[in-house]
Amino acid sequence: MEDSQSYKTVFSLGRFKIRKLQNGPPSDQANDAPKVPAELAAASQMEEDGSAPPDYESTIDACPRYEYYANSAPPGRRKVRPSLDMLRNAEPPSGDSKDGEDKDVEADDEPEVEAVRFGWVTGVMIRCMLNIWGVILYLRLPWITAQAGIGLTWLIILMSSVVTSITGLSISAISTNGKVKAGGTYFLISRSLGPELGGSIGLLFSFANAVAVAMHVVGFSETVKDLLVETDSIMTDPKNDIRIVGVITITVLLGIALAGMEWEAKAQVVFFFVIMISFINYFIGTFIPASPERMAKGYFSYRSDIFLENIVPEWRGEDGSFFGMFSIFFPSATGILAGANISGDLKDPAVAIPQGTLMAIFLTTLTYLAIAATIGACVVRDATGSMNDTLGAGNFTGGDCVGLGCGYGWNFTECTLAGTCEYGLANDYQTMSMVSALSPLITAGIFAATLSSALACLVSAPKVFQCLCQDNLYPLIGFFAKGYGKNQEPLRAYALTFILAIAFILIAELNTIAPIISNFFLCSYALINFSCFHATVTKSPGWRPSFRYFSKWTALFGAIISVVIMFLLAWWSALIVVGIIIVSLAYVTYKKPEVNWGSSVQAGSYQMALSQAMNLSDVEYHVKNFRPQCLVLSGPPSFRPALVDFAAAFTKAVSLMICGNVAELHDSSCAENYDEQLKWLTERKIRSFYNFITIGELRSGARSLMQVSGLGRLRPNTVILGYKQNWQTDSPQKLEDYVGIIHDCFDLSVGVCVLRMRDGLDVSRTVKAQVNMGFEDPEGAMGRERQRRETLKVIGADSHLETYFQGNQKKKNIDIYWLFDDGGLTLLIPYLLTRRKRWSRCKVRVFISSQITNAEEHREEIQSLLNKFRLGFNEVVVLPEIMWRPEETSRKEFEDLIAPYRLNEGQKGLDEVEGMKREAPWKVTDEDLRIYKKKSEQHMRLHEILQDHSRNAALIVMSLPVVRKGACPSALYMAWLETVSKGLHPPIAFIRGNQEDALTFYCQ
């Protein structure tokens, strides 16, 4: 198909083209259309092979691409999806698009160094297994078996395995719900539950890993100390030797960690093979017949009676209880997070974390069960280690022989009864070495297990803490966020971890350190499981984990059981952990960091709000629950801060507040500045929504806002607007619209509040600004120079500006002129104001009008009514003088005020006057002045009374006059408000309810 002679293809994307008329007139909007990015143009050029009309082919819709959704591309390289504005108003690029393409994708001078990344085996499985096969396996599992027996030891192992397995499933679900970055456990919880709980866990988990480093290093040091004792090479004393060896060891480990993740991973593989050899060595040793030396230490190879004896518990010492043993064992199971903690160094965390973590849990659980069963079937609890303690030796003086050793010709009775045995399952921490075929291999295994676990924790703690610091949730820790090298190694966080670990190494007691970290890890597990449960029950469309083998109920069970175990292990430690979480949670909640991670808490807030809003629709209205739900016609809120603060003063934490803005039809600044205005409200701590409408005129926009704002029962029932300060100089049509808004409010049965301040409300100002005329990606992906032009921009007040309604009003008066009964809104708003701290010391006075003949009777009636309303208003003032004639000066001022708006019908005929009124409905006729003479005089007199009684009040509240619709000219109506409020120092609020009860003194 040949190209049409009338059209020329100037831009194409896929099978679509933008074509223009070659000889036709230029488009009027050509100069205003956005430029198509050169990248899009270059990527979409193709041969011109069609002649379809431009209304079909003129689109640059892009096909779906991975790059449009990925945020990981470096600046200048990211692909950009065409915006709606580009699709609808695109102008073809000028010049050769090839050049633009080459310019945009031009490579950097130096190639980017790729960071080291690991797969699921070396990155997760081996790392988790090494961390689980730690110091507890070699040095405490035989001792726990002696205390708890094989049966309860298996129960302890399986309980730990259940908790870790459920947590592993939850980790797998969370880690497959989107791309996981650096930060490990902290990243998973914070991005799921939000910064409040995530930040708390980041602190706890970093600390727990730092203490775990100390635990594993102390385990290693204990083994070295035992070797020194055997060779009689003690440096000082056993306790200090542990400290000395521990400090030297962690210094060496720090050097390995600082060498980089690649070296650390190689070291972990070496440790893994050493441990595997030690396991083979141990299991071979259990089948070797017992020698006399090993029998003296309690080893008799596999014996059924030893197995049956050791299957039941025999508690000893202060820690001799089920949960005492559980608290010592459980830290060994905490290694399941070792792989997740280096999520930033994995090739594909979403695949590696589930596979590696679950496989590690399965294999290590089998290992623990097998070792507990085999060593419990081979070794008795008590033995002396002396070759002389045989039944035939001379030291046996007769009597009953105690213990299973008697059946095998050994007498351990004396030390068993005295509790002084040095060997046996319950006394010797090095029992596995004694049982094994070659004890040095077990020692090597202990070294490998403890050092690998310590190294894994030493790497995990800084990386988690670095991610926490980078999120800037807490003060004073940003210093540790800096990374170095191609892997962004957290060297500063390493130094902090090193110092913390040394502090706990100096304790030099493994059984003291292990329980400290149990509750920290259990708390992390509880929150991981709760994250998974919460994300599932909120039913967020964004919760789409590719790992499906989990249940919200198992996750909830895992969370509950973790919390229960926390308190069963050590209630005081659990309370400390909970206290830390509450304090950090309160801090982050108060500070409200500027992060948006799409957490399940956000999804839950939406779901809860939606559910409650729907439930509220079913709740019948009752006057006791009336709240002034306000639509504030503020324009952009920052333009009229005093008006917004006034409404916020009595709606905050009480009722709905919506700031409404009516803009010109083609005004795009509302959408552009929407987030800026919301931020302004947030910074002033004003709990308000913000909405805008672009429409041709103010009155239509205000009426539309009244009708469509809100949701269900949460709809405005009161409109607050500022007094039109410039009504005398503005166009008459705008005056008519302003008064029309008040009438529209009453048409919609909505209360009205008009606020006037002496210096006005609008603080906006016009400044010169630079406006970007190009369409550029936030990261500069298009690589084009910005085009700028100077323009005028209207800006509002700074968020820190303090208005009158934010100040402390001390012991001033709030004067309410309750001239007309409107249902009680005129009383309710001042009452809500006095509940605020800044207004609480103000005294409220209620002024009413009455004839002088029954003034006292009327005062007592209103006072009784106020008492029944329980508002705390104790002063009622009767104003009989409101019926008096105003002063001549007041009359003269009023006449001068309305003079420009007189119709001046003179001797004209009735038809002609009616025609003039239709053309200028705001003008005041002689008939209007006659009809409303008494009302006009009343407002003149009111101004005189205000000058006498309320000159120094904090706030004046007055009933807003209501007139018959279409009967009173808008100029006359505004003249009444102007007459009453002119020249007053305190703010004055004209309030009128919708004539329905806003207050009641009944209890039902």
Side-chain angles (χ1 to χ4, degrees), residues 165-185:
S165 297
I166 293 174
T167 307
L169 295 175
S170 299
I171 291 173
S172 301
I174 296 172
S175 62
T176 57
N177 188 54
K179 190 171 182 179
V180 178
K181 298 182 181 179
T185 305

Side-chain angles (χ1 to χ4, degrees), residues 777-960:
D777 160 67
E779 298 181 2
M782 303 192 184
R784 301 182 63 184
E785 185 178 355
R786 294 188 177 188
Q787 300 172 345
R788 298 180 180 272
R789 67 175 174 85
E790 193 175 82
T791 187
L792 299 179
K793 182 180 180 180
V794 183
I795 62 173
D798 184 81
S799 60
H800 303 293
L801 175 70
E802 182 174 321
T803 64
Y804 180 85
F805 295 99
Q806 289 184 322
N808 193 336
Q809 302 305 318
K810 301 181 181 179
K811 293 185 178 181
K812 297 182 180 179
N813 294 326
I814 297 177
D815 290 344
I816 303 174
Y817 289 81
W818 197 24
L819 306 179
F820 311 106
D821 193 342
D822 61 347
L825 185 64
T826 308
L827 298 174
L828 181 60
I829 289 179
Y831 166 72
L832 294 176
L833 267 178
T834 59
R835 291 170 60 175
R836 309 297 299 175
K837 184 177 180 180
R838 294 184 178 97
W839 295 80
S840 60
R841 299 173 65 188
C842 290
K843 178 183 178 182
V844 179
R845 302 186 298 178
V846 179
F847 295 86
I848 57 173
S849 62
S850 177
Q851 298 288 346
I852 195 169
T853 54
N854 62 345
E856 183 61 24
E857 180 182 345
H858 195 193
R859 190 196 69 79
E860 291 178 357
E861 177 189 350
I862 297 301
Q863 184 64 69
S864 175
L865 178 62
L866 294 177
N867 292 338
K868 289 183 178 180
F869 282 152
R870 307 174 305 283
L871 297 173
F873 301 167
N874 299 317
E875 184 173 347
V876 177
V877 180
V878 181
L879 299 173
E881 61 266 33
I882 202 172
M883 305 297 181
W884 300 353
R885 295 175 61 85
E887 298 177 359
E888 285 301 319
T889 54
S890 298
R891 289 177 177 274
K892 182 67 170 61
E893 289 174 358
F894 181 77
E895 290 173 359
D896 292 342
L897 183 63
I898 64 170
Y901 300 95
R902 293 293 300 275
L903 190 63
N904 297 323
E905 60 269 42
Q907 302 298 320
K908 297 182 176 65
L910 184 61
D911 293 340
E912 189 176 355
V913 170
E914 288 297 324
M916 294 171 65
K917 288 183 66 175
R918 282 194 297 270
E919 293 176 2
W922 55 84
K923 289 201 171 184
V924 183
T925 65
D926 294 339
E927 182 65 12
D928 294 329
L929 290 177
R930 186 188 64 80
I931 293 173
Y932 295 109
K933 178 182 179 181
K934 189 173 182 180
K935 206 170 189 68
S936 298
E937 290 179 346
Q938 186 183 47
H939 285 88
M940 298 178 214
R941 183 64 188 139
L942 270 173
H943 176 68
E944 297 169 1
I945 292 172
L946 291 180
Q947 293 288 358
D948 293 338
H949 293 276
S950 304
R951 185 186 298 272
N952 298 316
L955 175 68
I956 301 172
V957 178
M958 180 172 290
S959 297
L960 180 72

Side-chain angles (χ1 to χ4, degrees), residues 39 67-71 73-80 777-779 781:
E39 177 191 281
E67 290 84 355
Y68 294 153
Y69 298 89
N71 296 324
R77 305 284 185 84
R78 185 181 173 191
K79 303 294 183 183
V80 181
D777 160 67
E779 298 181 2

Side-chain angles (χ1 to χ4, degrees), residues 402-422:
V402 177
L404 291 176
C406 301
Y408 304 109
W410 291 86
N411 177 27
F412 305 134
T413 303
E414 186 176 345
C415 75
T416 301
L417 296 177
T420 58
C421 296
E422 294 182 2

Side-chain angles (χ1 to χ4, degrees), residues 606-618:
Y606 172 85
Q607 187 184 43
M608 187 181 300
L610 181 62
S611 176
Q612 293 299 325
M614 294 298 296
N615 292 339
L616 192 61
S617 298
D618 299 329

Side-chain angles (χ1 to χ4, degrees), residues 228-248:
L228 293 175
V229 171
E230 287 179 9
T231 58
D232 196 21
S233 303
I234 294 292
M235 291 179 283
T236 56
D237 60 75
K239 206 83 165 180
N240 284 325
D241 281 3
I242 292 175
R243 293 170 179 146
I244 294 170
V245 174
V247 171
I248 295 173

Side-chain angles (χ1 to χ4, degrees), residues 688-713:
S688 172
F689 297 99
Y690 172 54
N691 201 1
F692 67 88
I693 187 170
T694 53
I695 201 167
E697 58 177 355
L698 176 65
R699 182 176 181 181
S700 299
R703 187 178 181 90
S704 297
L705 282 176
M706 292 179 221
Q707 292 175 311
V708 303
S709 294
L711 182 69
R713 294 280 185 189

